[in-house]
Amino acid sequence: MSTLVDKIVQEIRDDIFRGGLAPGEPLKQVELANRYGVSPIPLREALQRLQVEGLVEYFAYRGAIVARMRKGEAADIADIRNALEALAFQIAMPTMDEALISSLEAITNELESPRGLDASFFMERLHHYYAVLLSKSNRPLLLDMIQTNLKRATRYYAEVVRITNGQRPADAPSRHTYIAALRAGDVGLLEQHMQRLHAAYVSFIEANFED
């Protein structure tokens, strides 16, 4: 069940993804409470949750700010994604059937559609993608680790979308290549596509972002 804190988290997250709250911008609780029409207590809890997601930073005597974007963090996120998501595909492969692949393909179609350019929608569907992938594997901790990292990754995805007006970075393969590799039963090929996709985003960030 959605709570008031969930609602505030989503609204602030959306504003960060869309650039309405810029990296390094102070998050003054009185102003935010007025902006979102809430009291300070749930707002404070929402900011703490966003800190866990890597979207908010706290400093002594300065309070909270929108987390700054760092090239090194983007590379770390990609490395962690490569490790965790490759493991998820390896675990899921023995349970893979056409029904499961078709479900993943339907989600992929959503991710690659114009709606996928909305970062919050993209993150929600990508979370669902890995939940479906691991649905027969009973690996809740792995799924939680993947989804936690995806929350950090989506911030960078949102910035790339904004800068490129929705164009995929050069050399970034479509996620439909994952589906073709799954149908072929070739996890090694899928991992190559995944690493290429993540590397393309990291290269774009390193070329266009400042620490």
Side-chain angles (χ1 to χ4, degrees), residues 49-174:
R49 282 174 50 179
L50 290 164
Q51 181 184 23
V52 173
E53 293 185 15
L55 297 179
V56 168
E57 294 179 278
Y58 275 94
F59 294 92
Y61 310 112
R62 290 178 54 195
I65 66 168
V66 177
R68 290 157 297 189
M69 306 187 75
R70 298 178 174 88
K71 296 177 184 179
E73 182 180 54
D76 276 353
I77 290 168
D79 287 343
I80 294 167
R81 289 193 66 183
N82 286 336
L84 293 179
E85 294 170 30
L87 178 59
F89 282 111
Q90 292 165 11
I91 290 170
M93 183 56 74
T95 70
M96 199 68 61
D97 56 26
E98 183 55 34
L100 185 58
I101 295 174
S102 293
S103 295
L104 296 175
E105 185 172 33
I107 301 168
T108 299
N109 289 338
E110 294 180 304
L111 291 170
E112 303 258 317
S113 74
R115 289 192 71 192
L117 299 178
D118 178 87
S120 290
F121 175 83
F122 179 86
M123 183 176 72
E124 187 274 328
R125 299 317 290 156
L126 204 52
H127 282 197
H128 185 53
Y129 183 101
Y130 286 98
V132 170
L133 178 69
L134 291 169
S135 59
K136 300 180 181 180
S137 305
N138 191 29
R139 299 298 291 266
L141 180 57
L142 175 58
L143 178 60
D144 182 67
M145 292 173 71
I146 289 171
Q147 293 182 338
T148 296
N149 196 47
L150 287 175
K151 290 176 181 176
R152 290 180 177 265
T154 305
R155 175 120 181 261
Y156 290 89
Y157 172 78
E159 277 297 295
V160 173
V161 167
R162 186 181 65 79
I163 292 171
T164 65
N165 291 316
Q167 299 301 307
R168 187 183 294 122
D171 301 324
S174 163

